[in-house]
Amino acid sequence: MELKLLVVTNDQLDIETLAKHISEMDPYVDFFIIREKSKTIREQIHLLDQVIKAGVSKEKLIINDRVDLALVLGISKVQLPAHGLDVQEVENHFPSLQIGKSIHSLQEALTVMSVQADWLLYGHIFPTNCKAGLPARGLHTLRSIVEAISIDVYAIGGIKPEHVQVLSDIGVKGLAVMSTIFDAPHPAGKAKEYYQACQRSVIFNKE
Amino acid sequence: MELKLLVVTNDQLDIETLAKHISEMDPYVDFFIIREKSKTIREQIHLLDQVIKAGVSKEKLIINDRVDLALVLGISKVQLPAHGLDVQEVENHFPSLQIGKSIHSLQEALTVMSVQADWLLYGHIFPTNCKAGLPARGLHTLRSIVEAISIDVYAIGGIKPEHVQVLSDIGVKGLAVMSTIFDAPHPAGKAKEYYQACQRSVIFNKE
């Protein structure tokens, strides 16, 4: 199975522009993390309404941080930041949710596994201005995490389409991208590049 | 019955200092709105733990905006900002909560009444540098709101201890204060001044 592509919004676009980009890249993206911290809740609701109205499935949407927003809108997936609510607390109170947790170390990964997060997001894999194609320090820890735990791991941070194969070899479930897509002149075109790289990848079967 | 005193945190103090101030002013304050937008959720949880450990009743705590945080911590009161979640949506999903809504006009007050908020917070009553003791433009709308709706109204914005009597005459349930208390050299002492003014006040009985 090919790697999943997860796009994280960059909190820098107005609602109409962002909704348009999300809608355009929808065919190439498995999940969107809606992470618009500087927008009010009203604005985030308006954005999500636009996105859903444009035909993007609710199943593809992951709400960053705001569990209450997800619950109120009937969105079943949340991404908890490293300094956000505890996975276990959210799990206890809202058992219907699927919960991702953002982590930055193997130690945090082990904690997250013990509380049964549904997936984790580890990064940053590559420094911002890393030399494309060369292994960077994040890969070593990423490999340790994938080997140590049994839940799905997504990699984030400076990932370019040419990194997809090495990530696939390590055995991640998918990759998450923000800046490289939203900084591109044509975000949907850039998302398609990642999509195609994912299509070419084959998940390394640990079993 | 005397006016209630509601203190809103100012999002400018470190956790230890704020917890200490809250604990010291606890005897004079009916409710605290915890509004620490620039702190992470982890930090807000740490603050609330400190405050509760210091003996402040959970019943006095109102969580601003973050309904999820309130639910996870077992705190039963939330304050929804004007641009926050809808009262009706929160009411539908989390019927155990008591919900306050912040509003800025009579029109918003009528909307809030129709969805059965438990209280509303109207402001700003006084401009920041108003001449103390003189009627300011906010009082007119405040009076209209109190006359028009049947739920409890709290006034906020530039209120000094010497304004308490006029607010009482209008028939508000209470007043909310942030800067005047937290900018004072001794916040708890300033809270006590408001408390004493509230003690002297008598609620205007509309019935």
Side-chain angles (χ1 to χ4, degrees), chain A residues 10-66:
Chain A
N10 68 348
D11 197 22
Q12 285 178 29
L13 302 171
D14 64 81
I15 292 172
E16 310 303 324
T17 306
L18 179 55
K20 182 171 159 286
H21 285 320
I22 290 175
S23 157
E24 285 175 0
M25 67 179 77
D26 184 36
Y28 313 117
V29 175
D30 295 287
F31 300 105
F32 295 95
I33 294 184
I34 307 299
R35 183 175 171 281
E36 296 291 301
K37 300 162 69 162
S38 70
K39 290 188 173 58
T40 68
I41 284 293
R42 276 292 115 208
E43 289 169 334
Q44 292 187 50
I45 289 174
H46 183 49
L47 168 68
L48 289 158
D49 283 347
Q50 296 271 93
V51 164
I52 291 165
K53 204 188 296 172
V56 178
S57 165
K58 270 190 181 184
E59 293 302 310
K60 283 192 173 188
L61 302 176
I62 301 171
I63 304 295
N64 187 69
D65 189 33
R66 294 292 304 234

Short mmCIF file of all heavy atoms in Angstrom, two decimals, chain A residues 10-66:
data_model
loop_
_atom_site.label_atom_id
_atom_site.label_comp_id
_atom_site.label_asym_id
_atom_site.label_seq_id
_atom_site.Cartn_x
_atom_site.Cartn_y
_atom_site.Cartn_z
N ASN A 10 -1.39 26.10 6.77
CA ASN A 10 -0.27 26.90 7.26
C ASN A 10 -0.65 28.15 8.05
O ASN A 10 0.22 28.92 8.45
CB ASN A 10 0.65 27.28 6.09
CG ASN A 10 -0.02 28.26 5.13
OD1 ASN A 10 -1.22 28.49 5.21
ND2 ASN A 10 0.75 28.81 4.21
N ASP A 11 -1.94 28.35 8.28
CA ASP A 11 -2.41 29.47 9.11
C ASP A 11 -1.98 30.82 8.55
O ASP A 11 -1.75 31.76 9.31
CB ASP A 11 -1.91 29.30 10.56
CG ASP A 11 -2.71 30.18 11.52
OD1 ASP A 11 -3.84 30.55 11.19
OD2 ASP A 11 -2.19 30.49 12.61
N GLN A 12 -1.86 30.92 7.24
CA GLN A 12 -1.42 32.20 6.67
C GLN A 12 -2.32 32.67 5.53
O GLN A 12 -2.05 33.70 4.92
CB GLN A 12 0.02 32.06 6.15
CG GLN A 12 1.02 32.05 7.29
CD GLN A 12 2.44 31.86 6.81
OE1 GLN A 12 2.80 32.25 5.70
NE2 GLN A 12 3.25 31.26 7.66
N LEU A 13 -3.36 31.94 5.24
CA LEU A 13 -4.22 32.31 4.11
C LEU A 13 -5.60 32.72 4.60
O LEU A 13 -6.05 32.26 5.65
CB LEU A 13 -4.34 31.12 3.15
CG LEU A 13 -3.01 30.58 2.58
CD1 LEU A 13 -3.24 29.28 1.83
CD2 LEU A 13 -2.37 31.63 1.67
N ASP A 14 -6.26 33.54 3.79
CA ASP A 14 -7.63 33.86 4.15
C ASP A 14 -8.53 32.65 3.85
O ASP A 14 -8.13 31.72 3.15
CB ASP A 14 -8.11 35.09 3.37
CG ASP A 14 -8.15 34.84 1.88
OD1 ASP A 14 -9.13 34.24 1.39
OD2 ASP A 14 -7.18 35.22 1.20
N ILE A 15 -9.71 32.69 4.41
CA ILE A 15 -10.61 31.54 4.36
C ILE A 15 -10.90 31.09 2.92
O ILE A 15 -10.82 29.89 2.61
CB ILE A 15 -11.92 31.88 5.10
CG1 ILE A 15 -11.64 32.01 6.60
CG2 ILE A 15 -13.00 30.82 4.84
CD1 ILE A 15 -12.81 32.53 7.40
N GLU A 16 -11.22 32.04 2.06
CA GLU A 16 -11.61 31.68 0.68
C GLU A 16 -10.45 31.02 -0.06
O GLU A 16 -10.62 29.99 -0.71
CB GLU A 16 -12.06 32.93 -0.10
CG GLU A 16 -13.10 33.80 0.61
CD GLU A 16 -14.36 33.05 0.97
OE1 GLU A 16 -14.77 32.17 0.19
OE2 GLU A 16 -14.93 33.32 2.06
N THR A 17 -9.26 31.61 0.07
CA THR A 17 -8.09 31.07 -0.62
C THR A 17 -7.75 29.67 -0.11
O THR A 17 -7.50 28.74 -0.89
CB THR A 17 -6.87 32.01 -0.41
OG1 THR A 17 -7.23 33.33 -0.81
CG2 THR A 17 -5.67 31.54 -1.22
N LEU A 18 -7.78 29.52 1.20
CA LEU A 18 -7.43 28.22 1.79
C LEU A 18 -8.46 27.16 1.38
O LEU A 18 -8.09 26.03 1.01
CB LEU A 18 -7.33 28.34 3.31
CG LEU A 18 -6.99 27.06 4.06
CD1 LEU A 18 -5.70 26.42 3.53
CD2 LEU A 18 -6.84 27.34 5.56
N ALA A 19 -9.72 27.52 1.44
CA ALA A 19 -10.77 26.55 1.06
C ALA A 19 -10.60 26.12 -0.40
O ALA A 19 -10.75 24.95 -0.74
CB ALA A 19 -12.16 27.16 1.28
N LYS A 20 -10.24 27.09 -1.24
CA LYS A 20 -10.02 26.80 -2.66
C LYS A 20 -8.84 25.83 -2.84
O LYS A 20 -8.93 24.83 -3.56
CB LYS A 20 -9.76 28.12 -3.41
CG LYS A 20 -9.56 27.99 -4.91
CD LYS A 20 -9.53 29.39 -5.54
CE LYS A 20 -8.84 29.38 -6.91
NZ LYS A 20 -7.35 29.25 -6.80
N HIS A 21 -7.74 26.11 -2.16
CA HIS A 21 -6.57 25.22 -2.26
C HIS A 21 -6.92 23.80 -1.78
O HIS A 21 -6.54 22.81 -2.40
CB HIS A 21 -5.39 25.77 -1.45
CG HIS A 21 -4.70 26.94 -2.08
ND1 HIS A 21 -4.46 27.02 -3.43
CD2 HIS A 21 -4.20 28.08 -1.54
CE1 HIS A 21 -3.84 28.15 -3.70
NE2 HIS A 21 -3.67 28.82 -2.58
N ILE A 22 -7.59 23.73 -0.64
CA ILE A 22 -7.93 22.41 -0.10
C ILE A 22 -8.80 21.64 -1.09
O ILE A 22 -8.57 20.45 -1.35
CB ILE A 22 -8.63 22.57 1.28
CG1 ILE A 22 -7.62 23.04 2.33
CG2 ILE A 22 -9.29 21.25 1.71
CD1 ILE A 22 -8.23 23.33 3.69
N SER A 23 -9.76 22.32 -1.61
CA SER A 23 -10.67 21.68 -2.56
C SER A 23 -9.91 21.20 -3.81
O SER A 23 -10.11 20.09 -4.30
CB SER A 23 -11.77 22.68 -2.91
OG SER A 23 -12.35 22.37 -4.14
N GLU A 24 -8.99 22.04 -4.30
CA GLU A 24 -8.23 21.68 -5.51
C GLU A 24 -7.28 20.51 -5.29
O GLU A 24 -7.03 19.71 -6.19
CB GLU A 24 -7.43 22.89 -6.02
CG GLU A 24 -8.30 23.94 -6.71
CD GLU A 24 -7.51 25.18 -7.10
OE1 GLU A 24 -6.29 25.24 -6.83
OE2 GLU A 24 -8.14 26.10 -7.66
N MET A 25 -6.72 20.43 -4.09
CA MET A 25 -5.75 19.35 -3.87
C MET A 25 -6.41 18.09 -3.30
O MET A 25 -5.74 17.06 -3.11
CB MET A 25 -4.58 19.82 -2.99
CG MET A 25 -4.90 20.16 -1.58
SD MET A 25 -3.40 20.69 -0.64
CE MET A 25 -3.15 22.37 -1.22
N ASP A 26 -7.69 18.17 -3.06
CA ASP A 26 -8.43 17.06 -2.47
C ASP A 26 -8.17 15.69 -3.15
O ASP A 26 -7.99 14.68 -2.47
CB ASP A 26 -9.93 17.40 -2.48
CG ASP A 26 -10.78 16.34 -1.80
OD1 ASP A 26 -10.31 15.76 -0.80
OD2 ASP A 26 -11.90 16.10 -2.27
N PRO A 27 -8.11 15.64 -4.49
CA PRO A 27 -7.90 14.34 -5.14
C PRO A 27 -6.57 13.67 -4.79
O PRO A 27 -6.43 12.46 -4.96
CB PRO A 27 -7.93 14.67 -6.64
CG PRO A 27 -8.60 15.99 -6.74
CD PRO A 27 -8.30 16.72 -5.47
N TYR A 28 -5.61 14.47 -4.31
CA TYR A 28 -4.27 13.94 -4.09
C TYR A 28 -3.94 13.71 -2.62
O TYR A 28 -2.85 13.24 -2.30
CB TYR A 28 -3.23 14.90 -4.68
CG TYR A 28 -3.59 15.34 -6.07
CD1 TYR A 28 -3.85 16.69 -6.36
CD2 TYR A 28 -3.71 14.42 -7.11
CE1 TYR A 28 -4.20 17.09 -7.63
CE2 TYR A 28 -4.08 14.81 -8.38
CZ TYR A 28 -4.33 16.15 -8.64
OH TYR A 28 -4.70 16.54 -9.90
N VAL A 29 -4.85 14.09 -1.76
CA VAL A 29 -4.54 14.15 -0.33
C VAL A 29 -5.44 13.19 0.45
O VAL A 29 -6.64 13.10 0.19
CB VAL A 29 -4.71 15.60 0.20
CG1 VAL A 29 -4.50 15.67 1.70
CG2 VAL A 29 -3.77 16.53 -0.53
N ASP A 30 -4.83 12.47 1.40
CA ASP A 30 -5.63 11.54 2.22
C ASP A 30 -6.29 12.23 3.40
O ASP A 30 -7.42 11.93 3.74
CB ASP A 30 -4.73 10.40 2.71
CG ASP A 30 -4.23 9.55 1.55
OD1 ASP A 30 -5.06 8.78 1.01
OD2 ASP A 30 -3.06 9.67 1.16
N PHE A 31 -5.53 13.13 4.05
CA PHE A 31 -6.07 13.83 5.21
C PHE A 31 -5.56 15.27 5.24
O PHE A 31 -4.44 15.54 4.81
CB PHE A 31 -5.64 13.13 6.52
CG PHE A 31 -6.10 11.71 6.62
CD1 PHE A 31 -5.20 10.66 6.43
CD2 PHE A 31 -7.42 11.41 6.90
CE1 PHE A 31 -5.62 9.34 6.52
CE2 PHE A 31 -7.85 10.08 6.98
CZ PHE A 31 -6.95 9.05 6.78
N PHE A 32 -6.40 16.13 5.77
CA PHE A 32 -5.99 17.52 6.01
C PHE A 32 -6.02 17.80 7.51
O PHE A 32 -7.05 17.58 8.15
CB PHE A 32 -6.97 18.50 5.34
CG PHE A 32 -7.00 18.42 3.84
CD1 PHE A 32 -7.95 17.64 3.20
CD2 PHE A 32 -6.07 19.11 3.08
CE1 PHE A 32 -7.98 17.56 1.80
CE2 PHE A 32 -6.10 19.03 1.69
CZ PHE A 32 -7.05 18.25 1.04
N ILE A 33 -4.91 18.28 8.04
CA ILE A 33 -4.94 18.78 9.42
C ILE A 33 -5.25 20.28 9.35
O ILE A 33 -4.48 21.06 8.78
CB ILE A 33 -3.61 18.54 10.16
CG1 ILE A 33 -3.37 17.04 10.35
CG2 ILE A 33 -3.64 19.25 11.53
CD1 ILE A 33 -2.13 16.69 11.16
N ILE A 34 -6.38 20.65 9.91
CA ILE A 34 -6.79 22.05 9.93
C ILE A 34 -6.16 22.68 11.17
O ILE A 34 -6.58 22.44 12.30
CB ILE A 34 -8.32 22.18 9.94
CG1 ILE A 34 -8.96 21.39 8.79
CG2 ILE A 34 -8.73 23.65 9.90
CD1 ILE A 34 -8.56 21.84 7.40
N ARG A 35 -5.16 23.49 10.90
CA ARG A 35 -4.37 24.08 11.99
C ARG A 35 -4.28 25.58 11.73
O ARG A 35 -3.32 26.09 11.18
CB ARG A 35 -2.98 23.44 11.99
CG ARG A 35 -2.07 23.89 13.12
CD ARG A 35 -0.76 23.10 13.06
NE ARG A 35 0.23 23.62 13.98
CZ ARG A 35 0.97 24.71 13.73
NH1 ARG A 35 0.83 25.36 12.63
NH2 ARG A 35 1.86 25.11 14.64
N GLU A 36 -5.33 26.27 12.14
CA GLU A 36 -5.48 27.71 11.85
C GLU A 36 -5.61 28.46 13.16
O GLU A 36 -6.65 29.06 13.47
CB GLU A 36 -6.70 27.91 10.93
CG GLU A 36 -6.57 27.26 9.56
CD GLU A 36 -5.52 27.95 8.69
OE1 GLU A 36 -5.65 29.15 8.42
OE2 GLU A 36 -4.54 27.27 8.30
N LYS A 37 -4.51 28.43 13.90
CA LYS A 37 -4.51 28.95 15.26
C LYS A 37 -4.85 30.42 15.37
O LYS A 37 -5.39 30.86 16.39
CB LYS A 37 -3.13 28.73 15.89
CG LYS A 37 -2.73 27.28 15.98
CD LYS A 37 -1.23 27.09 16.18
CE LYS A 37 -0.79 27.54 17.55
NZ LYS A 37 0.55 26.97 17.89
N SER A 38 -4.49 31.19 14.35
CA SER A 38 -4.72 32.63 14.47
C SER A 38 -6.14 33.02 14.03
O SER A 38 -6.51 34.18 14.13
CB SER A 38 -3.67 33.42 13.70
OG SER A 38 -3.87 33.25 12.31
N LYS A 39 -6.90 32.08 13.54
CA LYS A 39 -8.29 32.39 13.18
C LYS A 39 -9.21 32.14 14.38
O LYS A 39 -8.95 31.27 15.20
CB LYS A 39 -8.75 31.50 12.00
CG LYS A 39 -8.09 31.86 10.68
CD LYS A 39 -8.72 31.11 9.51
CE LYS A 39 -8.17 31.61 8.18
NZ LYS A 39 -6.71 31.52 8.03
N THR A 40 -10.28 32.92 14.46
CA THR A 40 -11.25 32.66 15.52
C THR A 40 -11.99 31.35 15.23
O THR A 40 -11.94 30.83 14.11
CB THR A 40 -12.31 33.78 15.60
OG1 THR A 40 -13.11 33.73 14.41
CG2 THR A 40 -11.67 35.16 15.73
N ILE A 41 -12.68 30.88 16.24
CA ILE A 41 -13.46 29.65 16.06
C ILE A 41 -14.54 29.87 15.00
O ILE A 41 -14.81 28.98 14.19
CB ILE A 41 -14.06 29.25 17.42
CG1 ILE A 41 -12.97 28.61 18.29
CG2 ILE A 41 -15.22 28.28 17.26
CD1 ILE A 41 -12.45 27.30 17.76
N ARG A 42 -15.15 31.04 15.01
CA ARG A 42 -16.16 31.36 13.97
C ARG A 42 -15.54 31.23 12.59
O ARG A 42 -16.13 30.68 11.67
CB ARG A 42 -16.68 32.78 14.14
CG ARG A 42 -17.79 33.02 15.10
CD ARG A 42 -19.11 32.41 14.68
NE ARG A 42 -19.43 31.39 15.66
CZ ARG A 42 -20.15 30.33 15.43
NH1 ARG A 42 -20.69 30.09 14.26
NH2 ARG A 42 -20.38 29.44 16.37
N GLU A 43 -14.35 31.77 12.42
CA GLU A 43 -13.67 31.71 11.13
C GLU A 43 -13.32 30.27 10.76
O GLU A 43 -13.45 29.86 9.59
CB GLU A 43 -12.40 32.58 11.15
CG GLU A 43 -12.70 34.07 11.18
CD GLU A 43 -11.48 34.94 11.48
OE1 GLU A 43 -10.52 34.44 12.13
OE2 GLU A 43 -11.49 36.12 11.09
N GLN A 44 -12.88 29.51 11.73
CA GLN A 44 -12.55 28.10 11.46
C GLN A 44 -13.80 27.33 11.04
O GLN A 44 -13.75 26.47 10.16
CB GLN A 44 -11.88 27.47 12.68
CG GLN A 44 -10.49 28.05 12.95
CD GLN A 44 -9.75 27.31 14.06
OE1 GLN A 44 -9.65 26.08 14.05
NE2 GLN A 44 -9.24 28.04 15.03
N ILE A 45 -14.91 27.63 11.70
CA ILE A 45 -16.17 26.96 11.33
C ILE A 45 -16.56 27.35 9.90
O ILE A 45 -16.97 26.51 9.11
CB ILE A 45 -17.29 27.32 12.33
CG1 ILE A 45 -17.02 26.63 13.69
CG2 ILE A 45 -18.67 26.93 11.79
CD1 ILE A 45 -17.98 27.03 14.80
N HIS A 46 -16.39 28.61 9.58
CA HIS A 46 -16.71 29.08 8.24
C HIS A 46 -15.82 28.38 7.20
O HIS A 46 -16.31 27.91 6.15
CB HIS A 46 -16.51 30.60 8.17
CG HIS A 46 -16.88 31.22 6.87
ND1 HIS A 46 -18.08 30.96 6.22
CD2 HIS A 46 -16.19 32.06 6.05
CE1 HIS A 46 -18.11 31.63 5.08
NE2 HIS A 46 -16.97 32.30 4.96
N LEU A 47 -14.55 28.27 7.50
CA LEU A 47 -13.61 27.56 6.61
C LEU A 47 -14.07 26.11 6.40
O LEU A 47 -14.13 25.61 5.27
CB LEU A 47 -12.20 27.59 7.22
CG LEU A 47 -11.18 26.66 6.58
CD1 LEU A 47 -10.84 27.14 5.16
CD2 LEU A 47 -9.90 26.57 7.42
N LEU A 48 -14.36 25.45 7.50
CA LEU A 48 -14.74 24.03 7.41
C LEU A 48 -16.05 23.87 6.65
O LEU A 48 -16.20 22.92 5.86
CB LEU A 48 -14.81 23.43 8.81
CG LEU A 48 -13.42 23.27 9.46
CD1 LEU A 48 -13.50 23.19 10.97
CD2 LEU A 48 -12.69 22.05 8.89
N ASP A 49 -16.98 24.77 6.86
CA ASP A 49 -18.23 24.74 6.09
C ASP A 49 -17.94 24.83 4.59
O ASP A 49 -18.51 24.10 3.79
CB ASP A 49 -19.14 25.91 6.50
CG ASP A 49 -19.84 25.67 7.83
OD1 ASP A 49 -19.83 24.51 8.31
OD2 ASP A 49 -20.40 26.62 8.39
N GLN A 50 -17.06 25.76 4.23
CA GLN A 50 -16.70 25.97 2.83
C GLN A 50 -16.08 24.71 2.23
O GLN A 50 -16.39 24.30 1.12
CB GLN A 50 -15.66 27.09 2.70
CG GLN A 50 -16.11 28.45 3.14
CD GLN A 50 -16.74 29.21 1.98
OE1 GLN A 50 -17.95 29.16 1.81
NE2 GLN A 50 -15.92 29.88 1.20
N VAL A 51 -15.17 24.14 2.99
CA VAL A 51 -14.43 22.96 2.53
C VAL A 51 -15.38 21.77 2.33
O VAL A 51 -15.32 21.07 1.32
CB VAL A 51 -13.32 22.62 3.55
CG1 VAL A 51 -12.78 21.22 3.34
CG2 VAL A 51 -12.19 23.65 3.46
N ILE A 52 -16.26 21.59 3.28
CA ILE A 52 -17.20 20.47 3.21
C ILE A 52 -18.20 20.70 2.07
O ILE A 52 -18.54 19.79 1.32
CB ILE A 52 -17.91 20.27 4.57
CG1 ILE A 52 -16.90 19.77 5.61
CG2 ILE A 52 -19.10 19.31 4.45
CD1 ILE A 52 -17.35 19.87 7.05
N LYS A 53 -18.63 21.95 1.95
CA LYS A 53 -19.56 22.30 0.87
C LYS A 53 -18.91 22.05 -0.51
O LYS A 53 -19.58 21.70 -1.48
CB LYS A 53 -19.99 23.77 0.99
CG LYS A 53 -21.33 24.08 0.32
CD LYS A 53 -21.61 25.58 0.31
CE LYS A 53 -21.75 26.13 1.72
NZ LYS A 53 -21.82 27.62 1.74
N ALA A 54 -17.60 22.23 -0.57
CA ALA A 54 -16.88 22.01 -1.83
C ALA A 54 -16.71 20.52 -2.14
O ALA A 54 -16.14 20.15 -3.17
CB ALA A 54 -15.52 22.69 -1.78
N GLY A 55 -17.17 19.67 -1.23
CA GLY A 55 -17.16 18.24 -1.53
C GLY A 55 -16.07 17.44 -0.84
O GLY A 55 -15.97 16.23 -1.05
N VAL A 56 -15.26 18.09 -0.01
CA VAL A 56 -14.23 17.35 0.72
C VAL A 56 -14.89 16.53 1.84
O VAL A 56 -15.71 17.06 2.59
CB VAL A 56 -13.17 18.32 1.31
CG1 VAL A 56 -12.13 17.55 2.11
CG2 VAL A 56 -12.51 19.13 0.20
N SER A 57 -14.56 15.27 1.91
CA SER A 57 -15.18 14.39 2.90
C SER A 57 -14.76 14.77 4.32
O SER A 57 -13.59 15.04 4.59
CB SER A 57 -14.77 12.94 2.64
OG SER A 57 -15.08 12.14 3.75
N LYS A 58 -15.73 14.75 5.22
CA LYS A 58 -15.42 14.99 6.64
C LYS A 58 -14.40 13.98 7.16
O LYS A 58 -13.65 14.27 8.09
CB LYS A 58 -16.70 14.85 7.49
CG LYS A 58 -17.49 16.12 7.68
CD LYS A 58 -18.58 15.89 8.72
CE LYS A 58 -19.41 17.14 8.92
NZ LYS A 58 -20.43 16.97 10.00
N GLU A 59 -14.41 12.80 6.57
CA GLU A 59 -13.49 11.74 7.00
C GLU A 59 -12.03 12.11 6.74
O GLU A 59 -11.12 11.52 7.30
CB GLU A 59 -13.82 10.43 6.30
CG GLU A 59 -15.14 9.83 6.70
CD GLU A 59 -15.21 9.57 8.20
OE1 GLU A 59 -14.27 8.97 8.72
OE2 GLU A 59 -16.19 10.01 8.84
N LYS A 60 -11.82 13.06 5.85
CA LYS A 60 -10.46 13.49 5.53
C LYS A 60 -9.97 14.60 6.46
O LYS A 60 -8.80 14.97 6.43
CB LYS A 60 -10.40 14.02 4.09
CG LYS A 60 -10.39 12.96 3.02
CD LYS A 60 -10.04 13.60 1.69
CE LYS A 60 -9.86 12.56 0.60
NZ LYS A 60 -9.32 13.18 -0.64
N LEU A 61 -10.87 15.14 7.26
CA LEU A 61 -10.52 16.33 8.06
C LEU A 61 -10.08 15.94 9.47
O LEU A 61 -10.71 15.12 10.13
CB LEU A 61 -11.71 17.28 8.12
CG LEU A 61 -12.22 17.78 6.76
CD1 LEU A 61 -13.46 18.64 6.94
CD2 LEU A 61 -11.13 18.56 6.02
N ILE A 62 -8.99 16.54 9.88
CA ILE A 62 -8.45 16.34 11.23
C ILE A 62 -8.33 17.74 11.85
O ILE A 62 -7.66 18.61 11.30
CB ILE A 62 -7.06 15.68 11.18
CG1 ILE A 62 -7.13 14.33 10.48
CG2 ILE A 62 -6.48 15.55 12.59
CD1 ILE A 62 -5.76 13.70 10.19
N ILE A 63 -8.98 17.92 12.99
CA ILE A 63 -8.92 19.23 13.64
C ILE A 63 -7.74 19.28 14.61
O ILE A 63 -7.63 18.43 15.50
CB ILE A 63 -10.23 19.53 14.43
CG1 ILE A 63 -11.44 19.43 13.51
CG2 ILE A 63 -10.16 20.90 15.10
CD1 ILE A 63 -11.50 20.46 12.42
N ASN A 64 -6.88 20.26 14.40
CA ASN A 64 -5.74 20.41 15.30
C ASN A 64 -6.17 21.05 16.61
O ASN A 64 -6.83 22.10 16.61
CB ASN A 64 -4.68 21.30 14.64
CG ASN A 64 -3.39 21.35 15.44
OD1 ASN A 64 -2.67 20.37 15.54
ND2 ASN A 64 -3.12 22.50 16.05
N ASP A 65 -5.80 20.42 17.71
CA ASP A 65 -5.91 21.02 19.05
C ASP A 65 -7.34 21.14 19.58
O ASP A 65 -7.61 20.70 20.70
CB ASP A 65 -5.23 22.40 19.06
CG ASP A 65 -5.11 22.98 20.46
OD1 ASP A 65 -4.94 22.20 21.40
OD2 ASP A 65 -5.21 24.21 20.61
N ARG A 66 -8.26 21.73 18.80
CA ARG A 66 -9.58 22.07 19.32
C ARG A 66 -10.53 20.89 19.24
O ARG A 66 -11.35 20.75 18.32
CB ARG A 66 -10.16 23.25 18.54
CG ARG A 66 -9.41 24.55 18.73
CD ARG A 66 -9.51 25.12 20.13
NE ARG A 66 -10.85 25.33 20.56
CZ ARG A 66 -11.32 26.50 21.02
NH1 ARG A 66 -10.54 27.55 21.08
NH2 ARG A 66 -12.56 26.58 21.45
#
